[in-house]
Amino acid sequence: MLDIKTLRADPQACAKLLAVKGFQFDVDYFLELENQRRVLQQESEHLQNERNQKSKTIGQAKARGEDIAPLVAEVGDLGDRLDQAKERFNVLQDELQSFLQAIPNTPDASVPEGTDEDDNQEIRRWGNLPAFNFEPKDHVALTEGGSMDFEAAAKISGSRYVVLHGQLARLQRALTQFMLDTHINEHGYQEVYVPYIVNADSLYGTGQLPKFAQDQFRIEGEQETYLIPTAEVPVTNLYRDSIVAVEELPIKHVCHSPCFRSEAGAHGRDTRGMIRQHQFEKVEMVQLVQPEQSWQSFDELTHHAENILKTLELPFRTVVLCGGDLGFSARRMQARYRDPATNKPVSSDLRLIISATNNREVNRFVYDAAIQAGVLVNCVDQPDLCTFIFPAIVDRSPILIAISSMGNAPTLARVVRGWIEAQLSPNLGKLAELAQSLRDRVKLELPSVDARKSFWETLFRSAAAESAMQGNLQDAKTKAEAMLAESATGETGGIPQASVALIGAGPGDPELITLKALRLIQSADVILYDKLANPAILDYARRDAEFEFVGKQGPKPGSPPTRPDNRGNQQFSINDRIVEHARAGRNVVRLKGGDPFIYGRGGEEMEQVIEAGFDVIMVPGITAALGAASYAGIPLTYRNLSQSVRFVTGHRVENVINLDWPEMGRRDQTLVIYMGLVGLPTILAKLIEHGCEPERPAALVENATWPEQRVIVGTVATLADAAHEAQISGPSVVIIGDVVAKRKA
């Protein structure tokens, strides 16, 4: 796999790289073989040259009529010595070739060190692993006695084979077709069909021989042939010993084939199921590109594979394999792979050079030439050979943020960029445009530097800023000009330019909060929150922000219907506190569990804030019903089962459960009951009394989306008793309808 010139040029450097893979390259033995090769080659060349000269002498002596017998004998002796030298040279060449064929490909210099898969480095992940409230079964247990038959395969073939029946066989065929069609129609590959039997040269060409001879299935016969271990072997060897014109590149092939591996080195490992099989199916992608396009091609191959998993909605991790986990032929897996660039001098009119090769000598030459010419240079993944670094960029033009690890961890810089991207509004640039339009006027009307600084800080956290980032620049400018006028005149009697945001905190999981809500929380001076808002959300706030708990305690099962502290009075007090903070010029966030406008009394708070003369920013949240249904795996609508959803409250109003019972019992809808735990027995009894079938499926979700979420499933007739037996006491949502039966237990 290695170019012999690379080994000869710097065997010590190659040994160091190979050690990353855990391979000990015997430099002394290699140098000894190389020395013997040079000696024998020089001897053969010398004997060949001497023989040629003597042969010419024989012709000349014969022309002069001289006795040529001594010369003929001498030439014959030279021929024997030459044959012997060639024989020794060929034997040595075979020994050298065997030695070289056992050397794996050198890893890229950026491959992390490590011994096995535990040392691999994760660079990104997609999707979330499903959470189960039961012990999941593996594929063997799920298909036992059914569509996956290992016993039948063992009877007809032996161990490490499987027979697929029915829908599972059909699924395998469908997945194969899906992958082929996706790569052909969406990714631009050309399908090829190849033989499943290849000769030894093909396996040598892709590195399977001689290192992994024991893992191959060799076919007995006159020719040395093998079953293919992967379609990569025949597809790659289509171009072996060929010269491909640049105009034909890139060449992109996709191929489906069965793969055959003896797994001789896997004795005792993964014996259960179909993890290590002698025969399995695979769809292979192969690209032939110019060396300078190899990194782009590798990225493309990776993303094409990821796209398959995303389309199938299968969570996955993309990792950089460490040296010890790399394959024999791999230079780097899911990492940069570059071929050496040509050694050309630096042009005098260049101002910036990027060297993206994996040959340190080439990079060093480029670096030294660039320094001599006074040109900026970046040798990728080699910080010591860089005079500048490419940062990761967050672009909110004209706001730009650059993140750099100074070449130490480029992937980390990209990850940090993602974190920052999530924090910043896509329309942040609009706010910069607003500031630019006011700069001259602010400088004119506020001569003091401190006054200007205070104004800008207040503006960027005001309702005017929110309008700008919503794209309403005219409204933003009107509000900003009003703020400037007050700052310039020093008036204090007007309404301060505070902002009030009513934010839905979602049902519990802090990651369900919206990006807009997150941004407003981070700019808040004071946050009023209730007990249904996860306190973890407060960690997003500024350190100097003030937190005020305004939670209301509702009745619990068994508690009296009336309470000394009337909850209506509690709500009036909350409304007053919001207005008081706004009048003090603070940016106020009212953080409410679920969604403010669904049984959250957000409408009452909004009315009082507007009446006090303040604008209100409304940020919806995922309501408890949606969160509970989603996390419990219950679809709220389902074709032919439920065409509508009805949200109702089971809360006591004037000590009576006042629901429209005839409408509640309709079969073609899903009924979602908020705050129904206290009156649950009465509610369910009333539903049955008004025509709802007792056996209709029903579920109760306690602490929806929280880690301690519990789901109780039953029927309208049994749910109340089941909830009582489970001692349900936390915030709960009740879902009634045939859709509950679609939940996978």
Side-chain angles (χ1 to χ4, degrees):
M1 296 300 297
L2 289 177
D3 187 345
I4 188 65
K5 294 178 182 178
T6 302
L7 286 172
R8 290 169 180 166
D10 196 346
Q12 297 292 347
C14 291
K16 185 177 180 180
L17 286 173
L18 289 168
V20 176
K21 275 190 170 184
F23 183 87
Q24 299 303 315
F25 176 51
D26 193 337
V27 176
D28 292 336
Y29 180 58
F30 170 70
L31 293 177
E32 180 184 346
L33 290 177
E34 274 291 283
N35 184 58
Q36 293 179 27
R37 179 194 60 80
R38 283 194 296 270
V39 170
L40 287 174
Q41 185 172 349
Q42 290 171 2
E43 180 182 350
S44 298
E45 292 174 352
H46 174 73
L47 289 171
Q48 181 69 55
N49 183 59
E50 188 176 356
R51 183 185 179 188
N52 292 340
Q53 292 298 327
K54 291 293 183 183
S55 296
K56 291 181 181 179
T57 302
I58 291 174
Q60 294 170 355
K62 187 176 182 180
R64 293 193 298 267
E66 299 175 356
D67 182 10
I68 62 172
L71 292 175
V72 171
E74 190 176 350
V75 170
D77 180 62
L78 287 172
D80 292 340
R81 289 165 58 194
L82 178 59
D83 290 341
Q84 294 171 9
K86 286 183 176 180
E87 179 64 24
R88 294 196 303 273
F89 181 80
N90 290 335
V91 170
L92 183 66
Q93 277 289 81
D94 290 341
E95 183 178 354
L96 180 60
Q97 188 67 16
S98 297
F99 175 74
L100 294 175
Q101 288 173 344
I103 301 174
N105 206 353
T106 53
D108 186 89
S110 58
V111 169
E113 295 184 358
T115 57
D116 53 34
E117 61 186 14
D118 293 333
D119 297 317
N120 294 338
Q121 296 180 3
E122 180 178 313
I123 58 174
R124 60 177 172 269
R125 63 174 57 201
W126 183 90
N128 297 310
L129 293 176
F132 302 103
N133 59 0
F134 58 90
E135 185 69 23
K137 298 180 179 180
D138 65 13
H139 66 283
V140 178
L142 284 173
T143 59
E144 187 174 3
S147 53
M148 187 177 291
D149 194 339
F150 295 96
E151 293 183 2
K155 180 177 67 174
I156 61 177
S157 299
S159 62
R160 294 191 184 273
Y161 293 92
V162 66
V163 173
L164 303 182
H165 292 281
Q167 290 292 87
L168 196 56
R170 185 182 182 189
L171 175 61
Q172 175 175 277
R173 175 165 50 86
L175 284 172
T176 300
Q177 192 64 51
F178 160 71
M179 293 180 184
L180 288 172
D181 288 344
T182 300
H183 291 319
I184 294 167
N185 298 328
E186 297 182 19
H187 300 153
Y189 289 80
Q190 180 189 60
E191 184 178 5
V192 291
Y193 173 83
V194 294
Y196 300 159
I197 297 175
V198 294
N199 55 33
D201 288 343
S202 295
L203 290 172
Y204 276 105
T206 48
Q208 276 76 20
L209 291 180
K211 177 71 174 179
F212 302 108
Q214 63 176 355
D215 290 331
Q216 311 306 317
F217 278 109
R218 181 171 178 176
I219 300 173
E220 293 185 355
E222 295 181 1
Q223 292 184 333
E224 184 180 354
T225 55
Y226 299 80
L227 293 175
I228 62 171
T230 168
E232 171 192 342
V233 174
V235 174
T236 304
N237 277 277
L238 289 173
Y239 300 92
R240 189 181 80 237
D241 300 328
S242 300
I243 297 176
V244 180
V246 173
E247 295 76 18
E248 296 178 26
L249 299 177
I251 295 173
K252 300 165 62 175
H253 286 315
V254 62
C255 180
H256 161 250
S257 75
C259 303
F260 306 90
R261 299 180 188 176
S262 71
E263 298 290 352
H267 180 70
R269 297 172 57 191
D270 300 321
T271 57
R272 176 178 170 83
M274 56 182 302
I275 304 302
R276 289 183 178 271
Q277 296 283 283
H278 290 318
Q279 176 181 328
F280 57 93
E281 305 293 302
K282 189 177 180 184
V283 174
E284 190 82 48
M285 294 179 289
V286 174
Q287 291 194 16
L288 279 75
V289 300
Q290 295 186 68
E292 57 270 22
Q293 298 298 321
S294 57
W295 169 228
Q296 177 182 341
S297 172
F298 189 79
D299 254 352
E300 187 177 84
L301 285 162
T302 303
H303 289 304
H304 291 167
E306 290 178 344
N307 186 43
I308 294 291
L309 296 175
K310 289 179 180 179
T311 306
L312 294 173
E313 299 183 357
L314 296 176
F316 64 85
R317 297 185 306 135
T318 302
V319 300
V320 176
L321 299 190
C322 68
D325 204 27
L326 275 180
F328 181 85
S329 303
R331 287 188 56 75
R332 178 161 174 169
M333 297 300 293
Q334 186 41 45
R336 291 178 178 148
Y337 164 77
R338 308 177 187 89
D339 278 355
T342 57
N343 191 6
K344 295 182 179 180
V346 178
S347 172
S348 60
D349 60 350
L350 292 178
R351 292 296 174 266
L352 182 148
I353 297 175
I354 301 168
S355 181
T357 85
N358 59 5
N359 187 316
R360 188 171 181 85
E361 290 186 355
V362 171
N363 291 342
R364 168 59 69 176
F365 169 82
V366 173
Y367 175 81
D368 291 341
I371 295 299
Q372 185 176 359
V375 177
L376 293 173
V377 60
N378 180 292
C379 296
V380 180
D381 285 345
Q382 294 181 236
D384 58 315
L385 299 182
C386 297
T387 58
F388 74 96
I389 297 293
F390 282 107
I393 297 294
V394 177
D395 187 356
R396 298 290 189 270
S397 295
I399 302 296
L400 289 176
I401 301 173
I403 305 101
S404 174
S405 66
M406 299 304 294
N408 292 303
T411 299
L412 178 58
R414 290 194 293 271
V415 171
V416 172
R417 178 186 64 185
W419 295 341
I420 296 176
E421 288 265 13
Q423 305 293 319
L424 300 179
S425 168
N427 289 326
L428 181 61
K430 297 292 184 183
L431 185 56
E433 291 180 25
L434 172 66
Q436 194 277 332
S437 69
L438 295 172
R439 283 189 66 186
D440 292 341
R441 185 173 170 185
V442 170
K443 185 178 292 187
L444 178 65
E445 298 193 19
L446 300 176
S448 167
V449 173
D450 289 340
R452 291 200 296 270
K453 179 181 177 182
S454 176
F455 169 77
W456 288 122
E457 289 179 349
T458 302
L459 174 67
F460 294 147
R461 294 163 53 191
S462 70
E466 187 61 32
S467 294
M469 287 188 286
Q470 289 178 346
N472 192 344
L473 281 176
Q474 187 56 50
D475 180 65
K477 192 169 184 179
T478 299
K479 292 176 180 176
E481 288 173 345
M483 292 176 61
L484 179 58
E486 290 182 6
S487 298
T489 59
E491 294 181 359
T492 58
I495 299 174
Q497 291 294 324
S499 67
V500 177
L502 303 185
I503 294 176
D509 186 342
E511 292 188 350
L512 296 180
I513 198 166
T514 65
L515 293 177
K516 184 172 184 178
L518 184 63
R519 177 168 48 80
L520 290 168
I521 289 171
Q522 291 172 334
S523 65
D525 297 313
V526 59
I527 299 175
L528 292 81
Y529 67 100
D530 57 41
K531 68 186 187 71
L532 295 181
N534 193 326
I537 297 176
L538 300 179
D539 293 339
Y540 297 133
R542 303 196 327 262
R543 293 184 178 181
D544 61 339
E546 179 183 335
F547 303 136
E548 185 172 331
F549 179 72
V550 293
K552 303 188 293 290
Q553 178 62 56
K556 295 291 184 181
S559 62
T562 59
R563 306 180 65 83
D565 185 8
N566 183 274
R567 300 185 80 216
N569 292 335
Q570 292 181 55
Q571 183 60 52
F572 295 148
S573 176
I574 294 172
N575 299 348
D576 291 340
R577 290 296 293 160
I578 296 173
V579 173
E580 288 173 13
H581 286 300
R583 284 176 174 163
R586 294 178 169 183
N587 291 318
V588 184
V589 162
R590 170 67 168 107
L591 197 60
K592 304 176 69 66
D595 184 276
F597 279 5
I598 299 184
Y599 303 122
R601 305 187 75 168
E604 300 171 35
E605 296 174 357
M606 179 186 68
E607 286 179 347
Q608 188 154 341
V609 172
I610 293 176
E611 185 178 334
F614 296 95
D615 292 332
V616 180
I617 302 169
M618 295 301 306
V619 182
I622 295 178
T623 184
L626 300 181
S630 176
Y631 275 54
I634 300 173
L636 291 180
T637 61
Y638 198 92
R639 188 174 59 175
N640 298 329
L641 286 183
S642 175
Q643 285 73 49
S644 63
V645 183
R646 182 183 293 270
F647 300 112
V648 298
T649 175
H651 206 288
R652 297 177 184 271
V653 178
E654 300 299 331
N655 303 328
V656 177
I657 301 174
N658 57 343
L659 298 176
D660 187 356
W661 301 111
E663 282 294 313
M664 299 300 102
R666 287 176 47 190
R667 189 75 190 236
D668 62 345
Q669 70 176 358
T670 301
L671 179 63
V672 181
I673 304 173
Y674 288 73
M675 299 171 286
L677 181 60
V678 174
L680 186 60
T682 303
I683 292 172
L684 297 178
K686 286 286 188 180
L687 284 172
I688 295 175
E689 179 184 334
H690 287 81
C692 180
E693 303 84 351
E695 67 275 9
R696 186 178 299 183
L700 182 147
V701 184
E702 179 193 35
N703 296 319
T705 78
W706 290 69
E708 57 268 27
Q709 171 182 297
R710 288 195 292 171
V711 181
I712 308 299
V713 178
T715 66
V716 175
T718 65
L719 186 63
D721 290 339
H724 177 73
E725 292 177 6
Q727 298 182 339
I728 299 296
S729 61
S732 302
V733 173
V734 177
I735 304 173
I736 299 173
D738 291 328
V739 292
V740 174
K742 293 296 180 181
R743 179 177 186 267
K744 302 300 181 183

